[in-house]
Amino acid sequence: NAGVTQNPKFQVLKTGQSMTLQCAQDMNHNSMYWYRQDPGMGLRLIYYSASEGTTDKGEVPNGYNVSRLNKREFSLRLESAAPSQTSVYFCASSFFRLAGANTGELFFGEGSRLTVL
Amino acid sequence: KNEVEQSPQNLTAQEGEFITINCSYSVGISALHWLQQHPGGGIVSLFMLSSGKKKHGRLIATINIQEKHSSLHITASHPRDSAVYICAVSGYSGGGADGLTFGKGTHLIIQP
């Protein structure tokens, strides 16, 4: 089935531990993103990758690193987890064509709920 | 940075009612997206539009570029429409992630 797959779905960490969130898409999209969603804050961009081999910081990149392993995969790493990183993380991928009649696709993964104690 | 405001924040209605959710933004955009998120669930893209109007089933999305405003309408609402509806806008930097700014969402409850 086409879509965005995230793993793990749930994770509990202790402060200072590290972990990697995995994301893969099978729609041949160039762009991939990592967002976090917190109550009352809406979705906020952590990092994005406009194409294979490139990554850029978003609105809230501190404490995170990313790796665009290939066109399909975009991982998010927490090197030393902090309680402030307790959140729901969403990976997304997209294709946009803005010339003429704007068209595009935007797909989200199911989310990864992370708790840092 | 674009500011995206949605209203209302919360909306409770009876089954069958016509629903309108509004979104306004502060800076010109290349496209606007409407997303749906069910409780505890993932996020689904409903519409991407840059002008005019789009319709999918009972859902209608309109955008007025001059007024920097979009509306999402639900006709003949049903309890399964209960979800959070999120407006997001793309800037002119290619429409990708670097230009995507989200509203805080509208929490809709449709009672039977």
Side-chain angles (χ1 to χ4, degrees):
Chain A
N1 291 334
V4 179
T5 304
Q6 283 182 238
N7 284 296
K9 302 291 190 294
F10 300 93
Q11 184 73 49
V12 178
L13 293 176
K14 294 181 180 178
T15 297
Q17 287 185 319
S18 62
M19 76 159 295
T20 299
L21 295 172
Q22 309 284 355
C23 176
Q25 54 93 8
D26 58 5
M27 295 167 285
N28 203 37
H29 288 164
N30 283 325
S31 298
M32 296 185 73
Y33 329 101
W34 277 105
Y35 296 98
R36 59 178 290 173
Q37 186 178 40
D38 302 292
M41 300 291 291
L43 284 153
R44 292 182 293 170
L45 181 65
I46 304 171
Y47 271 93
Y48 67 98
S49 171
S51 61
E52 183 180 354
T54 68
T55 61
D56 284 286
K57 295 178 180 179
E59 183 183 353
V60 287
N62 291 344
Y64 305 94
N65 286 300
V66 291
S67 178
R68 183 76 182 266
L69 303 170
N70 46 56
K71 193 170 187 179
R72 290 188 65 248
E73 298 172 290
F74 189 39
S75 62
L76 178 72
R77 183 160 178 84
L78 287 70
E79 291 291 351
S80 179
S84 61
Q85 294 178 303
T86 294
S87 187
V88 180
Y89 291 84
F90 286 94
C91 178
S93 72
S94 75
F95 154 71
F96 295 122
R97 182 184 297 123
L98 299 180
N102 291 355
T103 61
E105 297 179 332
L106 176 60
F107 286 88
F108 287 81
E110 293 181 356
S112 298
R113 188 173 296 274
L114 175 65
T115 301
V116 183
L117 302 176
Chain B
K1 183 177 184 288
N2 219 331
E3 300 293 331
V4 180
E5 298 288 338
Q6 286 186 238
S7 63
Q9 289 185 331
N10 297 284
L11 177 58
T12 300
Q14 296 298 121
E15 184 173 356
E17 286 189 36
F18 182 82
I19 303 299
T20 296
I21 299 170
N22 296 300
C23 175
S24 61
Y25 51 92
S26 58
V27 178
I29 61 171
S30 57
L32 182 142
H33 309 257
W34 281 104
L35 312 172
Q36 179 193 56
Q37 184 176 26
H38 282 103
I43 301 169
V44 175
S45 176
L46 299 174
F47 295 103
M48 172 186 170
L49 66 165
S50 57
S51 64
K53 175 180 175 178
K54 285 190 176 180
K55 185 176 188 290
H56 185 255
R58 295 180 294 106
L59 300 178
I60 303 167
T62 64
I63 188 169
N64 185 317
I65 295 295
Q66 287 72 32
E67 294 186 2
K68 296 185 177 62
H69 180 269
S70 175
S71 294
L72 176 69
H73 305 286
I74 305 175
T75 61
S77 60
H78 189 276
R80 65 175 175 266
D81 296 325
S82 298
V84 176
Y85 292 84
I86 303 168
C87 171
V89 298
S90 300
Y92 283 103
S93 51
D98 56 331
L100 208 55
T101 303
F102 295 85
K104 292 183 180 180
T106 294
H107 188 192
L108 174 66
I109 297 173
I110 304 296
Q111 296 177 334

